Amino acid sequence: MSAGNQVDAVVFDYGGVLTGPVRDSIAAWVRADGIDPASFSRTLKAWLSRDAPDGTPVHRLETGALGVDEFDALLAAELTTLDGRAVDPVGVLARLFAGMRPDPAMFDLARQLRDAGVRVGLLSNSWGNTYPRG
């Protein structure tokens, strides 16, 4: 920071910061696809916890070593539905994040900061997504 506590830069995360809560999008997908929430939680814990081994599908997706279609298939294979049918692997991530919407107030804030001469950046995991620009 420079003299006078002036802010030189602001770094935003995307999901849940520049958007509404990620959990809302996940909850809508779980309901719509009839996913057993426990199977999703179990899979996320196995793939993202501190005890997760190196090279989990999420890590490989984030580093580009695994494509979205391949990740979708791996995730779908780990999930169960409430009625016992298989989870459709085509577009799993797209459906999971379909309910995430940019928060106009946060995008306005980022724009105001940039217009005021503050450097604005985005540092976020992607889960294979692209981010809207505003």
Side-chain angles (χ1 to χ4, degrees):
M1 291 173 80
S2 57
N5 293 330
Q6 179 181 355
V7 174
D8 296 318
V10 174
V11 179
F12 290 95
D13 185 19
Y14 185 70
V17 176
L18 291 176
T19 73
V22 176
R23 72 178 175 274
D24 293 352
S25 182
I26 292 170
W29 162 68
V30 163
R31 278 191 309 275
D33 279 19
I35 304 295
D36 177 0
S39 72
F40 181 66
S41 295
R42 180 182 61 249
T43 302
L44 279 189
K45 183 177 180 183
W47 290 359
L48 291 174
S49 72
R50 290 182 181 181
D51 299 332
D54 290 339
T56 67
V58 172
H59 179 256
R60 295 188 345 245
L61 176 69
E62 292 285 0
T63 60
L66 187 66
V68 171
D69 292 344
E70 296 167 292
F71 181 86
D72 282 348
L74 292 171
L75 179 57
E78 294 295 324
L79 301 175
T80 57
T81 59
L82 295 172
D83 64 6
R85 64 185 160 74
V87 174
D88 180 4
V90 177
V92 169
L93 278 180
R95 294 192 309 274
L96 190 155
F97 291 116
M100 267 186 22
R101 300 284 182 265
D103 181 335
M106 291 302 292
F107 271 72
D108 285 346
L109 174 61
R111 213 172 281 109
Q112 290 169 17
L113 289 166
R114 188 180 59 212
D115 292 348
V118 176
R119 296 175 90 181
V120 176
L122 174 70
L123 179 63
S124 186
N125 55 323
S126 71
W127 285 78
N129 292 308
T130 57
Y131 300 116
R133 298 185 176 268

